[in-house]
């Protein structure tokens, strides 16, 4: 921490001239600030209140349509993710009330179940907010997680920047704004709260830096260990991405002051050991469950999903400058606009890096932004949808443990704190230069520099200003579920949707949660093992009958049904321990109805707005 304070000119009055000199100079450790100074660091100022209020207001603005339609609204671009996440929040609350293990559940993918620790169930939010889920429903918890995530991340970075990096609260607010409301954050706010609630990460980074100069290694190590453990329960993948980001930053920064860096690492070894022990003591069993427990999977294969270079320079969909044109060729889906920084911001980052190059912090931030941006491009450089054949560094990491399950495009999120640091440092310098100068000519030049900085800052950030996320009416449960008619058809078996519940159609998860998990369902939306190598797969392992019904839904035609097909259907129903098959309104539902009639040898009946096949006698 003292090195950073010396770097940015925030040393207490006891600092010497040497400490503020050339970037390569070795700083002299300042005296510890008095208690009054330490307390003042945590006391909120009017600027703090203004910044926090603005961040909260902006987060509510982004999600106000969801807040206004909690009972009937569904985020348009979330795909089926909102159904999945609300189920995660609901099942965590259900597990607590019924004193069940929250790490796993057989309420979907019946009878095999789901390893919830391996499914980003976000226990760090779902368990503390279980009372909210039980009282107001999972949609409130979902909207709250996204709102708290956006605002909390911005506030956390603002707090760290304003207390430890820059002297200007406005400069810190600019950095916090970028961290909390960057295009990737808004994109993930459509359905990925684990990639929005990143408010612990700046404090983890701060804790690591602090150990390098701490006189209280045990205390600070315990605090860091608690933060890391909590982040594991908020989101492991963001922790991995940002850990790599901080490592790159730290290594580049250490190259500017190697002796100081080595001394800091040696000094912090006891604290790091304590932090690791604390984090491991808390998270060891859940992590064991994730990697070795029931329904664990070895790795999640997703194919190449690196960013297109054009995506990095383009504007995001949900922004003032967002183009209405189809952006599907530049992203995996609407929740994965992980780059989309826009060319003005990229240009400002590049100029900032050059302007502030003498500062080790700026050099480290610039190198980090470049490194994480290149990693996010994947194994092959792609420009405007065309592969160039140029192999990139991600090829070295793609098959390594842990990294093999990460979507490489998400490493662009590591650019965000680096960019925010550069903008905060640049804004801080521009403000300082506008108030200094020995002569009128010098003052005019510095004010011109400040004017140019703030003009381009506006040009870079205003087009990226987020717009409210779009909401559409939610598909309401048919009366078969809503009125509890299902109770006449379910004993101790499962409900099988036609076609089977999957990542493409997970609405039954919502209807199940509304009925207080009174019945388990076959299939669902989750990540689980599939195949002989137990590789991760979205949704259940495909069974022949599930594939048959999906083909009918897709094509509107029924393949030939013979005795072998019927026997396979009976075997699959026995595997699912099915009590009833239910067909709600969907594409090609008439053909699906006839297909099920032929498969099970039982004519469906129209009940509660659905077609129902009672297969308890068949199974």
């Amino acid at each position: 921490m003292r090195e950073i304070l010396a770097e940015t000119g925030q040393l207490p009055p006891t600092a010497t001239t040497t400490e503020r000199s050339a970037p390569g100079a070795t700083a002299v450790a300042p005296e510890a600030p008095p208690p009054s100074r330490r307390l003042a660091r945590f006391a909120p100022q009017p600027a703090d209140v203004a910044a926090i209020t603005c961040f909260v207001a902006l987060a509510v603005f982004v999600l106000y349509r969801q807040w206004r339609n909690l009972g009937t609204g569904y985020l348009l671009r979330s795909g089926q993710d909102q159904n999945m996440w609300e189920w995660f929040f609901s099942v965590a609350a259900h597990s607590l009330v019924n004193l069940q293990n929250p790490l796993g559940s057989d309420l979907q993918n019946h009878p095999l179940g789901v390893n919830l620790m391996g499914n980003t169930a976000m226990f760090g939010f779902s368990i503390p907010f279980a009372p909210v889920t039980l009282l107001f429903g999972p949609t409130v918890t979902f909207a709250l997680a996204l709102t708290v995530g956006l605002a909390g991340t911005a506030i956390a970075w603002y707090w760290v920047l304003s207390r430890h990096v820059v002297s200007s609260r406005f400069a810190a607010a600019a950095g916090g704004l970028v961290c909390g409301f960057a295009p990737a954050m808004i994109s993930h706010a459509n359905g990925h709260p684990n990639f929005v609630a990143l408010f612990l990460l700046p404090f983890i980074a701060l804790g690591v830096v602090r150990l390098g100069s701490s006189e209280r290694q045990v205390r600070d190590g315990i605090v860091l260990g608690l933060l890391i453990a909590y982040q594991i329960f908020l989101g492991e993948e963001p922790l991995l991405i940002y850990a790599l980001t901080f490592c790159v930053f730290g290594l580049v920064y250490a190259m500017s002051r190697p002796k100081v860096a080595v001394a800091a690492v040696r000094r912090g070894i006891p604290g790091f050991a304590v932090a690791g022990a604390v984090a491991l003591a808390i998270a060891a069993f859940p992590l064991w469950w994730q990697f070795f427990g029931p329904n664990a999977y070895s790795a999640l294969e997703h194919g190449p999903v690196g960013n297109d270079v054009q995506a990095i320079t383009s504007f995001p969909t949900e922004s003032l400058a967002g183009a209405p044109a189809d952006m599907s060729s530049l992203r995996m889906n609407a929740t994965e606009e992980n780059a989309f920084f826009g060319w003005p911001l990229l240009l400002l980052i590049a100029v900032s890096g050059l302007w502030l190059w003498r500062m080790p912090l700026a050099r480290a931030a610039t190198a980090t932004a470049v490194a994480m941006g290149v990693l996010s491009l994947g194994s092959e450089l792609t420009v405007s949808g065309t592969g160039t054949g140029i192999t990139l560094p991600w090829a070295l990491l793609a098959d390594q443990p842990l990294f093999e399950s990460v979507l490489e495009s998400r490493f662009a999120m590591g650019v965000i704190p680096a960019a925010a640091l550069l903008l905060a440092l640049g804004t801080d310098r521009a403000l300082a230069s506008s108030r200094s100068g020995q002569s009128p000519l010098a003052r005019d030049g510095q004010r011109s520099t400040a004017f140019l900085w703030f003009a381009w800052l506006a040009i870079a950030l205003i087009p990226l200003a987020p717009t409210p996320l779009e909401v559409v009416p939610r598909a309401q449960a048919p009366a078969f579920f809503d009125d509890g008619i299902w109770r006449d058809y379910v004993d101790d078996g499962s409900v099988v949707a036609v076609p089977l519940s999957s990542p493409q159609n997970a609405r039954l998860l919502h209807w199940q949660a509304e009925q207080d998990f009174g019945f388990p369902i076959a299939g669902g939306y989750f990540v689980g093992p599939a195949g002989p190598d137990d590789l991760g797969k979205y949704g259940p392992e495909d069974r022949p009958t599930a594939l048959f019904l999906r083909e009918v839904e897709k094509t509107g035609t029924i393949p030939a049904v013979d005795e072998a097909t019927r026997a396979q259907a009976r075997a699959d129903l026995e595997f699912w321990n099915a009590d009833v098959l239910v067909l709600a309104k969907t594409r090609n539902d008439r053909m699906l109805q006839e297909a099920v009639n032929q498969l099970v040898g039982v004519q469906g009946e129209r009940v509660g707005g659905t077609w129902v096949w009672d297969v308890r006698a068949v199974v």
Side-chain angles (χ1 to χ4, degrees):
M1 281 309 305
R2 291 170 182 169
E3 288 302 306
I4 291 180
L5 293 175
E7 164 76 26
T8 56
Q10 291 193 84
L11 285 167
T14 54
T16 67
T17 304
T18 304
E19 292 174 275
R20 298 176 183 265
S21 60
T26 301
V28 178
E31 296 178 6
S36 59
R37 184 182 295 276
R38 291 197 297 268
L39 291 175
R41 178 176 295 173
F42 294 97
Q45 303 297 321
D48 300 329
V49 175
I52 292 171
T53 301
C54 289
F55 293 147
V56 173
L58 184 55
V60 172
F61 170 74
V62 169
L63 289 152
Y64 88 89
R65 288 173 177 162
Q66 180 68 82
W67 281 110
R68 192 176 61 182
N69 300 281
L70 288 171
T72 59
Y74 191 89
L75 288 173
L76 173 64
R77 294 185 173 89
S78 70
Q80 296 299 308
D81 288 345
Q82 183 169 345
N83 283 324
M84 179 191 70
W85 276 101
E86 290 183 8
W87 189 89
F88 286 158
F89 292 140
S90 291
V91 81
H94 177 80
S95 298
L96 290 180
V97 169
N98 292 278
L99 301 179
Q100 297 171 345
N101 178 11
L103 301 178
S105 174
D106 64 355
L107 288 170
Q108 64 168 309
N109 195 35
H110 190 79
L112 299 178
V114 178
N115 187 321
L116 291 173
M117 188 63 194
N119 270 269
T120 64
M122 207 175 175
F123 294 118
F125 200 92
S126 63
I127 291 179
F129 283 85
V132 174
T133 304
L134 294 169
L135 290 173
F136 304 106
T139 305
V140 174
T141 308
F142 176 73
L144 192 61
L146 296 173
T147 306
V148 170
L150 290 174
T153 301
I155 292 169
W157 280 104
Y158 164 79
W159 194 267
V160 170
L161 290 172
S162 64
R163 267 59 183 177
H164 304 286
V165 180
V166 295
S167 58
S168 165
R169 294 292 199 265
F170 181 82
L177 180 70
V178 171
C179 286
F181 299 93
M185 298 289 287
I186 302 303
S187 175
H188 283 290
N190 280 291
H192 298 160
N194 60 320
F195 268 94
V196 174
L198 308 181
F199 42 78
L200 291 185
L201 296 175
F203 295 109
I204 290 174
L206 183 63
V208 171
V209 174
R210 179 172 283 142
L211 284 177
S213 60
S214 175
E215 299 291 342
R216 300 179 178 180
Q217 292 284 310
V218 174
R219 182 203 64 180
D220 292 343
I222 291 174
V223 171
L224 179 59
L226 292 174
L227 290 173
I228 293 173
Y230 200 171
Q231 180 58 48
I232 289 173
F233 295 116
L234 285 177
E236 296 172 61
E237 192 173 345
L239 179 60
L240 175 63
I241 292 171
Y242 278 82
L244 181 60
T245 301
F246 296 150
C247 284
V248 173
F249 180 90
L251 288 173
V252 177
Y253 185 83
M255 292 171 63
S256 299
R257 298 179 174 181
K259 292 183 179 179
V260 174
V262 171
V265 170
R266 288 177 176 171
R267 187 184 190 93
I269 287 176
F272 294 137
V274 171
V278 170
L280 191 61
I282 296 172
F285 179 74
L287 288 174
W288 174 88
W289 186 281
Q290 174 181 345
F291 292 105
F292 304 104
N295 300 300
Y297 53 92
S298 56
L300 179 60
E301 291 192 344
H302 46 70
V305 288
N307 284 318
D308 192 304
V309 171
Q310 186 180 346
I312 296 179
T313 60
S314 299
F315 293 107
T317 302
E318 287 161 320
S319 67
L320 289 182
D326 182 20
M327 306 289 285
S328 59
S329 62
L330 301 179
R331 68 190 185 196
M332 183 178 178
N333 55 56
T335 62
E336 295 289 345
E337 292 187 357
N338 295 304
F340 292 85
F341 295 104
W343 63 265
L345 179 58
L346 292 177
L347 184 57
L348 182 60
I349 292 172
V351 171
S352 302
L354 294 174
W355 185 36
L356 306 171
W357 189 254
R358 287 177 56 82
M359 300 173 63
L361 276 179
R363 289 201 299 274
T366 303
T368 301
V370 172
M372 301 308 294
V374 170
L375 277 182
S376 79
L377 298 177
S379 298
E380 180 185 1
L381 182 65
T382 303
V383 182
S384 300
T386 303
T388 63
I390 299 175
T391 302
L392 297 175
W394 174 251
L396 301 175
L397 292 175
D399 297 325
Q400 301 304 313
L402 299 181
F403 290 100
E404 60 189 351
S405 298
V406 179
L407 300 179
E408 55 264 36
S409 69
R410 291 176 174 174
F411 281 98
M413 296 188 72
V415 177
I416 296 173
L421 179 57
L422 285 170
L423 297 189
L425 291 172
T427 301
D428 200 45
R429 172 171 284 191
L431 287 171
S433 66
S434 67
R435 296 190 295 264
S436 63
Q438 299 299 321
S439 65
L441 183 61
R443 284 197 299 270
D444 290 342
Q446 290 167 340
R447 287 171 181 169
S448 296
T449 300
F451 173 79
L452 290 173
W453 171 265
F454 287 110
W456 198 261
L457 184 66
I459 292 172
L461 296 185
I462 290 176
L464 299 177
T467 54
L469 302 183
E470 294 185 51
V471 170
V472 295
R474 185 171 207 153
Q476 296 302 302
F480 179 81
F481 294 106
D482 208 25
D483 295 343
I485 302 173
W486 61 268
R487 293 185 177 88
D488 297 331
Y489 294 84
V490 178
D491 293 332
D492 58 355
S494 69
V495 173
V496 179
V498 178
L500 200 71
S501 293
S502 67
Q504 292 74 40
N505 187 349
R507 56 185 176 171
L508 185 54
L509 293 180
H510 180 66
W511 301 343
Q512 178 199 39
E514 285 186 322
Q515 294 300 305
D516 196 26
F517 298 100
F519 55 87
I521 65 174
Y525 187 4
F526 60 95
V527 179
D533 297 325
D534 287 338
L535 292 176
K537 176 183 181 296
Y538 288 100
E541 188 164 9
D542 294 319
R543 298 189 68 83
T545 304
L547 294 174
F548 180 95
L549 295 174
R550 192 181 308 163
E551 184 67 17
V552 175
E553 181 194 36
K554 179 180 178 181
T555 65
T557 60
I558 303 175
V561 176
D562 53 21
E563 189 55 40
T565 309
R566 295 188 185 94
Q568 181 62 61
R570 287 192 294 272
D572 289 340
L573 291 174
E574 290 177 0
F575 174 81
W576 292 321
N577 190 26
D579 277 354
V580 62
L581 281 78
V582 181
L583 170 60
K585 185 174 179 59
T586 188
R587 181 176 58 173
N588 292 320
D589 46 11
R590 290 187 179 181
M591 300 306 295
L592 283 167
Q593 175 196 349
E594 178 58 29
V596 178
N597 287 339
Q598 295 183 33
L599 284 175
V600 302
V602 175
Q603 294 296 307
E605 56 179 331
R606 188 72 174 171
V607 179
T610 65
W611 285 97
V612 174
W613 292 263
D614 188 340
V615 295
R616 287 173 288 187
V618 176
V619 173

